Amino acid sequence: MTPPPCPITGEPARRLVQWVSAKLLVELWHRILQVDVRPSFAGTTRFGLWESPTGLYFFDPMLEGDASFYNAFYRVLDDAEPRGLTGRLRRLATALGLPSRNTPRAEFRLAANHLSPGDSVLDVGCGPGVFRHLVPGGRYTGLDPHFGADPGQPWASPETLSEHLRSGARAYDVVSAFQVLEHVARPVAFLSEMAQAVRPGGTVIVGVPHVPSAATRIPNYLVNALPHHLTWWTAEALRAIAARVGLVDAQVETIPWSELDNFIYWMARCSPVKCQQRHYAHRWSWHASALLGLGGALAIQCLRRAPPINDEGVGLLLVARKPGG
């Protein structure tokens, strides 16, 4: 068996973490979110979860969710009627007064520390555009071809980054992408386009999920799986991809837990099974453990208990500069 190349460096993966059954993922997506991922999987029967020399975890083959997948996925999140387990939990969370996904996350506040008044900001994969509320001066443009980019809003555009670059020369002061890089099959090409969109001397900011983390310890944690997340990141991997596309002065910050993300921490803590070597398996003890973690997290979240400050956090934030300027 020949290890696949790291999507950042091209070096062979250093180890196989596990094989993941496509049938299991199809069933999980259907039962939990009522989303059909079979078109995105294109007949693939299993995926390898590999670790690269940079510590990056990546699935092989790296199959991105198609437009129908994201339309269905975000329809579940936004629909007023509960659909599937996630829809019902969202309605319950709303009734209990818990934060919604329109609540600013901690990574937005961290990123805002690197902005200056008057900066022009391009936010790639902007979703509902929550980050715009933290941009001083309001010079904000959001891109998102899947959801949240309402053409009726002056700040929003339903374009991909590639389409946006083709429409003319771009010279933003800051280009950001929060929880986007892990969704793309060609992360180097994506970050290169971000670098093209920023002016010389400008700033590129990227927020990603990381490994090890609470999310990687929850058994069968669906949000971290194909076709949604294709990669799990480390600080070394972020520095490597920044260097690969020519960005300099790269620094990596730990994203602390926020009111919106605390649920993940408590779900991992309350789950009797803590994943380390394997992350996805059809085991009834794993399914039961995830449900116990879910119930425990919901109860603790109602008490507004925060994770410890010195915890490993919810993700990593890369801040780097384009040379020149």
Side-chain angles (χ1 to χ4, degrees):
M1 181 176 59
T2 303
C6 168
I8 301 173
T9 65
E11 300 175 275
R14 66 184 176 195
R15 73 180 181 104
L16 172 67
V17 178
Q18 73 162 111
W19 292 110
V20 182
S21 163
K23 181 179 179 181
L24 171 63
L25 296 181
V26 167
E27 188 71 12
L28 288 172
W29 279 106
H30 173 69
R31 289 190 177 277
I32 297 173
L33 280 163
Q34 295 187 349
V35 173
D36 184 5
V37 299
R38 288 174 297 180
S40 294
F41 285 174
T44 303
T45 58
R46 73 172 183 174
F47 300 92
L49 179 60
W50 297 83
E51 182 184 6
S52 88
T54 65
L56 177 86
Y57 278 41
F58 66 97
F59 288 96
D60 179 71
M62 297 177 70
L63 300 180
E64 298 180 16
D66 59 16
S68 64
F69 164 76
Y70 278 106
N71 287 337
F73 180 48
Y74 290 117
R75 187 165 58 247
V76 170
L77 296 183
D78 295 332
D79 198 347
E81 295 299 323
R83 300 175 66 234
L85 176 60
T86 297
R88 290 175 172 82
L89 287 172
R90 180 177 54 77
R91 287 290 296 273
L92 178 58
T94 301
L96 294 171
L98 298 180
S100 72
R101 66 190 184 92
N102 290 324
T103 303
R105 298 195 298 263
E107 63 184 336
F108 295 161
R109 300 187 183 96
L110 272 186
N113 294 333
H114 300 277
L115 305 182
S116 300
D119 277 351
S120 57
V121 176
L122 177 67
D123 190 15
V124 185
C126 64
V130 179
F131 185 49
R132 76 184 188 277
H133 300 300
L134 300 179
V135 175
R139 299 181 62 194
Y140 174 95
T141 301
L143 303 181
D144 202 315
H146 294 305
F147 81 112
D150 182 355
Q153 300 293 333
W155 54 267
S157 176
E159 295 179 298
T160 65
L161 180 54
S162 298
E163 292 167 344
H164 192 65
L165 287 172
R166 285 197 298 268
S167 65
R170 303 295 171 182
Y172 292 93
D173 298 303
V174 178
V175 178
S176 61
F178 301 104
Q179 309 304 310
V180 176
L181 193 62
E182 68 273 15
H183 296 268
V184 300
R186 300 174 61 220
V188 172
F190 180 81
L191 193 63
S192 294
E193 290 185 335
M194 290 184 68
Q196 292 174 44
V198 75
R199 64 169 175 77
T203 302
V204 173
I205 302 175
V206 174
V208 290
H210 63 321
V211 60
S213 68
T216 63
R217 286 189 287 273
I218 298 170
N220 292 328
Y221 188 57
L222 193 57
V223 174
N224 233 9
L226 291 158
H228 191 50
H229 286 184
L230 313 186
T231 48
W232 308 344
W233 291 79
T234 63
E236 183 182 353
L238 286 173
R239 294 188 188 98
I241 194 171
R244 178 75 185 273
V245 303
L247 297 174
V248 298
D249 299 334
Q251 52 184 298
V252 179
E253 304 175 38
T254 299
I255 302 170
W257 295 99
S258 66
E259 192 179 9
L260 182 63
D261 306 309
N262 291 351
F263 190 90
I264 300 170
Y265 174 85
W266 292 117
M267 187 173 175
R269 283 293 301 272
C270 295
S271 172
V273 174
K274 306 288 193 296
C275 295
Q276 293 186 18
Q277 297 305 315
R278 291 179 62 83
H279 302 272
Y280 298 93
H282 178 37
R283 298 175 181 171
W284 290 112
S285 60
W286 281 36
H287 300 317
S289 182
L291 287 173
L292 286 171
L294 197 64
L298 189 60
I300 294 174
Q301 192 79 326
C302 291
L303 300 175
R304 300 298 199 273
R305 287 187 59 188
I309 296 175
N310 61 350
D311 183 77
E312 64 205 353
V314 68
L316 299 174
L317 191 76
L318 169 69
V319 181
R321 183 175 59 84
K322 183 176 181 177

